[in-house]
Amino acid sequence: MKLIKDGIAKLSFVALLVTVTAAMFYAPTASAHGEKSQAAFMRMRTIHWYDLNWSKDIVPVNDTMTVTGKFHVFAGWPETVAKPEISFLNIGIPGPVFIRAGSWIGGQLVPRSVTLELGETYEFKVLLKARRPGDWHVHSMMNVKDGGPIIGPGKWVTITGSMSQFTNPITTLTGQTIDLENWNLGNIYFWHAFWYAFGIAYIAYWARKPVFVPRLIACEAGKHDTLISAMDKKVGIGFMVATLAIVAVTMESTNAQYPITTPLQAGLLRGMKPIEMPARTVAVKVDSATYRVPGRAMQMTLTVTNNGDSSVRLGEFMTASVRFLDPAVHEDDTGYPDDLLAEEGLTVSDNSPLAPGQTRTMEVTASDAAWEVYRLADLIYDPDSRFAGLLFFTDEAGNRQMVTIDAPLIPSFI
Amino acid sequence: MSASQSAVRSRAEAVKVSRTFDWLIMFTLFFVILGGYHVHFMLVAGDWDFWSDWKDRRLWVTVLPIMGITFPAAVQAVLWWRYRIPFGATISVMGLLFGEWVNRYFNFWGWTYFPINFVFPSQLIPGAIVLDVVLLVSGSMQLTAVIGGLGFGLLFYPGNWPVMAPLHLPVEYNGMMMTLADLSGYHYVRTGMPEYIRMVEKGTLRTFGKDVAPVSAFFSGFVSIIVYFLWHFFGRWFGSTAFTKGS
């Protein structure tokens, strides 16, 4: 029996060592931000990010890059998600690998939360300064209070160099130029060490004499009063007076050193300026929409009317940041992330130019593995089985016109 | 040696064993308090203590002492009523501060690279020493609660001001005014923390002009008195010995 037990113990130990070693040699880094886990209807029917541009793919430490583009706040915002009355333009990166040097909506700096209007389209820009070397997935992102984060498309960006070279110089309104990366560090360390040493000194005074056993015996015997001497009380009062004096003096000296300080700034920014979109000349009605589960394809029957003065063709369908293109009409040259781009993913039954005044019923199919990879097919399990997205029509002059669509989606399992 | 014989054979040996026991208990006590207090503090004070752009004149000043006086009151009760040891509050806040620094250095800086000047903890040591000394001198729970508890709340803001003031220097940034603490919060991206989550400068305390910190500190002190009583009794109960009758 003992032999068996010893054998199991040895084998367990070897197994533990193998596990630990394997974990040391294979420890993959987490990538991306769980955007695929977010409910599909939320990605499809809240914020539509488009015309995105990441200005650089490789950025040295201390250099800057921008993420720019537009976002449309969908008018058919789902009832189950709080409205974007208090929202914050964030950036989806793994912590402060970049610093956010600036962020703007419609030209207005937005370090605070903002109010967005349903149905409007806004231009945004985020300026990032590279801080920590590595390959990072950089997403556009909008946080909505009580609604959660609504993440946009992400692209891999590489930061080169060394973080030790990173600086963050700031000039205050009192005229000092400081490096925010390490400003005030010595002061913090000093005061925390000082008070810690002070606390240790206080405890050390009591710990130099027997602490627990004799005191417990004395207390159990009812001799509490013998344990605290007059000298103990005097020393205690000395510590208290010194504490009060140090706090008072340092408060005064700090105020003398920094006579001008201001409270933290907070508040909601209202009145964000949307883009003044040209009047839509293309009207689209969704007659039906089906998602064919085995084929990873969405089929829509659309009735499209061209009320403009130039013929148009359907070039793109975009939903949840996945773009389905008809290459005969539109090709992407912006460097949009490959995994979100179905370059030949859009098929239209008749995509010949739709003349002004003409109405046509089209069978449109958006198919790509992205439906599965980005878990958009999970829409059929959502509480509100509707889809939404943007259609982009291109006219003869190459101008693109955006039209939103929103309709129930029927799954097909065969 | 039989079970009825003493483990020590001389007074000198007894003293030596007692001292060894002292250090073992002190070491264990420090880390046990650290663990419990740290978890409690992260849950109830959390972000107000994590980030410098949460350390405002109202809620930081109010929330932290109220949530911070809990373990000191309980540990003080055990150590004072059972041992007449008057450093229960001090050892508690020192345990907390040690744990907070380990957390901030290894987690916030070591793993996620937030600068320490943005994520350093608040310290409660001056208030804790006053709390301990009031108990030492008065020997009264009521006086400790009223005077010590009030002092605990009042001393928090001035005790931390020397490290906070430099972060409240104003700066003009792209046409908006911010403090350096605000700017840190804006620059050093917290993906999971949008700006609207930050609870700062909220409330109805508007009739005192810019001098709201002392009023908040007084309020904090008053509530700390009540919380002290509550947690002191937790400590008394926790430190009591109860015997049950055998059948």
Side-chain angles (χ1 to χ4, degrees):
Chain A
M1 189 64 186
K2 188 174 182 307
L3 275 176
I4 295 170
K5 277 185 180 172
D6 288 350
I8 292 171
K10 276 180 190 168
L11 279 174
S12 303
F13 185 66
V14 170
L16 182 70
L17 280 179
V18 169
T19 309
V20 171
T21 313
M24 285 166 71
F25 280 102
Y26 180 68
T29 51
S31 57
H33 300 102
E35 63 269 28
K36 296 172 193 173
S37 302
Q38 198 166 46
F41 82 97
M42 197 160 155
R43 283 178 282 159
M44 285 181 173
R45 295 177 51 203
T46 51
I47 303 277
H48 292 294
W49 305 88
Y50 68 101
D51 284 354
L52 260 69
N53 180 266
W54 291 256
S55 66
K56 293 174 186 170
D57 293 332
I58 300 173
V59 199
V61 166
N62 281 321
D63 208 352
T64 58
M65 65 167 284
T66 57
V67 180
T68 55
K70 302 183 183 92
F71 63 88
H72 176 75
V73 185
F74 190 55
W77 193 278
E79 274 303 307
T80 45
V81 179
K83 303 278 185 297
E85 284 152 8
I86 301 177
S87 313
F88 180 65
L89 177 64
N90 210 333
I91 189 81
I93 51 177
V97 295
F98 289 89
I99 66 162
R100 176 175 34 218
S103 53
W104 294 264
I105 295 177
Q108 152 106 51
L109 185 78
V110 285
R112 299 189 207 149
S113 302
V114 300
T115 298
L116 301 173
E117 302 293 335
L118 297 188
E120 296 287 3
T121 303
Y122 299 86
E123 208 159 31
F124 80 95
K125 174 179 163 183
V126 181
L127 177 66
L128 300 169
K129 183 175 174 183
R131 180 168 179 255
R132 185 177 162 211
D135 296 323
W136 312 113
H137 212 207
V138 179
H139 287 265
S140 56
M141 186 172 170
M142 184 70 72
N143 292 89
V144 175
K145 190 177 184 189
D146 302 327
I150 297 167
I151 202 153
K155 187 173 183 180
W156 289 98
V157 177
T158 302
I159 297 179
T160 58
S162 164
M163 189 170 146
S164 62
Q165 304 300 312
F166 178 78
T167 59
N168 191 7
I170 300 290
T171 301
T172 68
L173 284 172
T174 52
Q176 283 171 279
T177 297
I178 56 116
D179 183 356
L180 195 56
E181 187 76 359
N182 51 32
W183 165 246
N184 195 36
L185 265 184
N187 194 40
I188 294 165
Y189 289 141
F190 172 79
W191 282 112
H192 278 233
F194 172 83
W195 281 113
Y196 216 86
F198 200 79
I200 287 173
Y202 179 72
I203 292 173
Y205 173 77
W206 298 99
R208 71 196 162 85
K209 295 181 282 190
V211 185
F212 291 103
V213 179
R215 284 177 168 268
L216 179 65
I217 293 167
C219 285
E220 298 275 309
K223 297 177 183 171
H224 305 87
D225 297 339
T226 61
L227 294 171
I228 303 289
S229 68
M231 177 55 87
D232 288 341
K233 290 188 178 180
K234 283 180 189 165
V235 171
I237 291 170
F239 268 99
M240 185 166 77
V241 171
T243 300
L244 296 174
I246 293 166
V247 169
V249 168
T250 53
M251 177 89 179
E252 274 307 303
S253 63
T254 303
N255 285 338
Q257 192 179 353
Y258 302 101
I260 299 170
T261 55
T262 50
L264 296 180
Q265 302 292 298
L268 186 67
L269 300 172
R270 292 189 174 86
M272 291 296 106
K273 194 179 163 195
I275 301 171
E276 288 184 17
M277 303 289 279
R280 281 180 193 155
T281 56
V282 179
V284 179
K285 179 173 171 286
V286 182
D287 298 324
S288 68
T290 309
Y291 180 71
R292 208 160 63 80
V293 178
R296 297 184 299 197
M298 193 175 86
Q299 292 165 327
M300 299 174 270
T301 304
L302 308 177
T303 301
V304 182
T305 305
N306 183 1
N307 299 313
D309 52 11
S310 172
S311 62
V312 295
R313 298 174 74 191
L314 177 59
E316 177 180 343
F317 169 61
M318 195 204 78
T319 185
S321 301
V322 180
R323 299 174 63 192
F324 301 88
L325 307 184
D326 180 345
V329 181
H330 181 67
E331 287 186 346
D332 181 74
D333 55 2
T334 63
Y336 197 76
D338 289 340
D339 51 334
L340 292 164
L341 190 65
E343 285 171 309
E344 298 177 2
L346 191 71
T347 313
V348 184
S349 56
D350 177 3
N351 208 7
S352 58
L354 184 67
Q358 194 181 353
T359 296
R360 182 188 300 158
T361 298
M362 302 174 176
E363 297 295 330
V364 178
T365 305
S367 61
D368 193 79
W371 283 108
E372 205 60 48
V373 173
Y374 275 86
R375 299 183 191 168
L376 299 179
D378 288 357
L379 182 69
I380 58 176
Y381 304 112
D382 283 338
D384 189 0
S385 192
R386 293 177 72 88
F387 84 102
L390 307 181
L391 294 173
F392 290 91
F393 291 87
T394 305
D395 68 14
E396 290 165 24
N399 301 316
R400 299 211 311 155
Q401 184 175 156
M402 183 260 282
V403 178
T404 58
I405 52 171
D406 173 22
L409 185 71
I410 310 298
S412 163
F413 299 99
I414 51 174
Chain B
M1 190 178 75
S2 74
S4 59
Q5 283 179 306
S6 171
V8 292
R9 280 160 294 187
S10 67
R11 181 177 157 70
E13 215 173 73
V15 169
K16 200 175 163 192
V17 168
S18 168
R19 289 304 279 166
T20 307
F21 203 56
D22 279 350
W23 296 120
L24 280 174
I25 294 181
M26 289 270 272
F27 181 84
T28 311
L29 183 72
F30 182 81
F31 282 99
V32 167
I33 294 170
L34 183 159
Y37 195 9
H38 192 186
V39 169
H40 159 87
F41 206 67
M42 283 206 293
L43 289 173
V44 295
D47 290 314
W48 276 293
D49 195 44
F50 291 157
W51 316 102
S52 66
D53 68 338
W54 279 67
K55 292 176 176 157
D56 69 337
R57 305 172 299 176
R58 294 164 190 266
L59 290 160
W60 176 57
V61 185
T62 306
V63 173
L64 264 75
I66 293 170
M67 293 301 146
I69 201 168
T70 49
F71 271 64
V75 175
Q76 215 181 36
V78 177
L79 293 188
W80 180 256
W81 298 110
R82 299 303 302 267
Y83 304 93
R84 277 293 187 276
I85 294 171
F87 59 68
T90 307
I91 200 171
S92 300
V93 299
M94 287 177 66
L96 175 68
L97 190 61
F98 182 78
E100 295 280 16
W101 267 109
V102 170
N103 176 25
R104 305 309 160 83
Y105 191 80
F106 290 102
N107 294 345
F108 284 67
W109 164 247
W111 281 352
T112 44
Y113 295 88
F114 284 105
I116 288 291
N117 63 6
F118 180 42
V119 296
F120 64 91
S122 317
Q123 61 91 8
L124 300 155
I125 294 172
I129 288 177
V130 168
L131 202 62
D132 275 336
V133 174
V134 173
L135 182 62
L136 164 70
V137 175
S138 69
S140 158
M141 182 191 75
Q142 284 84 356
L143 276 177
T144 308
V146 174
I147 299 172
L150 189 63
F152 195 82
L154 286 176
L155 286 172
F156 175 73
Y157 188 76
N160 283 281
W161 185 239
V163 294
M164 282 310 299
L167 295 170
H168 280 246
L169 292 179
V171 58
E172 186 262 320
Y173 197 73
N174 287 315
M176 289 181 82
M177 196 193 81
M178 305 182 190
T179 65
L180 287 173
D182 290 313
L183 195 58
S184 290
Y186 181 58
H187 273 183
Y188 297 97
V189 176
R190 291 162 292 190
T191 313
M193 182 181 284
E195 192 271 341
Y196 53 73
I197 283 182
R198 199 166 62 120
M199 286 179 70
V200 298
E201 295 293 331
K202 289 185 178 175
T204 53
L205 208 60
R206 306 292 173 198
T207 50
F208 296 90
K210 64 185 174 62
D211 300 314
V212 292
V215 185
S216 302
F218 263 107
F219 176 72
S220 178
F222 289 134
V223 181
S224 294
I225 293 171
I226 298 163
V227 175
Y228 180 91
F229 275 116
L230 188 67
W231 279 74
H232 186 94
F233 284 118
F234 285 161
R236 289 284 284 269
W237 168 78
F238 192 76
S240 62
T241 310
F243 296 97
T244 53
K245 276 188 181 173
S247 55

